[in-house]
């Protein structure tokens, strides 16, 4: 139930998905200050965009994944920098208050678009 001790014990988190949404495991590793090397599947690229050259590799490229892992494991300073940067990124961008504000903004947009029309709210109404 408590993954903290596991994440704190890692030198590196590797996420080699072929398909992905916004991976919670990558967010968790980043939140614990663990540097991440991952494939560019789905939203992973957005999470690691700031340091893509060091830690984000193309899909299904085992050679690039291996090189990124080795580079990160050999360089303690780089690992420390990426771990801290990831932790700051999650703390700044993935807060409850931000999530609430973005949901509220979406709801208000829906209400404004459909107010007075009598039409049901549909996904198309948001766009």
């Amino acid at each position: 139930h408590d993954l903290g001790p596991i994440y704190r014990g890692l030198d590196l988190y590797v996420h080699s998905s072929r398909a992905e949404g916004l991976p919670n495991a990558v967010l968790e590793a980043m939140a614990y200050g663990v540097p991440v090397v991952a494939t560019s599947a789905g939203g992973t690229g957005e999470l690691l965009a700031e340091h893509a050259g060091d830690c984000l590799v193309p899909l299904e490229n085992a050679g690039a994944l291996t090189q990124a892992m080795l580079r990160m494991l050999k360089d303690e300073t780089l690992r420390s920098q990426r771990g801290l940067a990831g932790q700051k990124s999650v703390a700044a961008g993935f807060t409850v208050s931000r999530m609430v504000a973005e949901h509220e903004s979406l709801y208000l947009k829906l209400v404004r678009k459909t107010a007075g029309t009598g039409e049901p709210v549909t996904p198309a109404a948001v766009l």
Side-chain angles (χ1 to χ4, degrees):
H1 292 359
D2 182 13
L3 296 177
I6 294 170
Y7 280 115
R8 284 189 286 276
L10 298 177
D11 291 322
L12 179 66
Y13 178 79
V14 179
H15 197 81
S16 59
S17 292
R18 290 181 176 172
E20 195 61 73
L22 187 72
N24 283 334
V26 171
L27 281 170
E28 290 170 355
M30 292 170 68
Y32 279 101
V34 179
V36 174
V37 168
T39 56
S40 59
T44 309
E46 294 173 40
L47 295 175
L48 302 175
E50 185 178 337
H51 303 290
D54 294 330
C55 54
L56 191 65
V57 300
L59 293 173
E60 299 188 25
N61 189 331
L65 184 63
T66 301
Q67 290 304 311
M69 290 166 54
L70 290 173
R71 182 174 50 252
M72 197 69 71
L73 289 171
K74 290 178 182 178
D75 190 338
E76 187 174 339
T77 301
L78 180 62
R79 279 197 320 274
S80 178
Q81 290 171 345
R82 294 306 174 255
L84 184 58
Q87 197 169 37
K88 287 180 180 179
S89 175
V90 169
F94 294 89
T95 63
V96 171
S97 59
R98 180 178 174 198
M99 179 184 68
V100 168
E102 289 182 5
H103 277 83
E104 182 180 32
S105 174
L106 174 63
Y107 294 146
L108 290 173
K109 184 177 180 180
L110 283 169
V111 168
R112 276 191 229 95
K113 281 194 161 218
T114 58
T117 67
E119 295 294 319
V121 175
T122 65
V126 178
L127 303 173

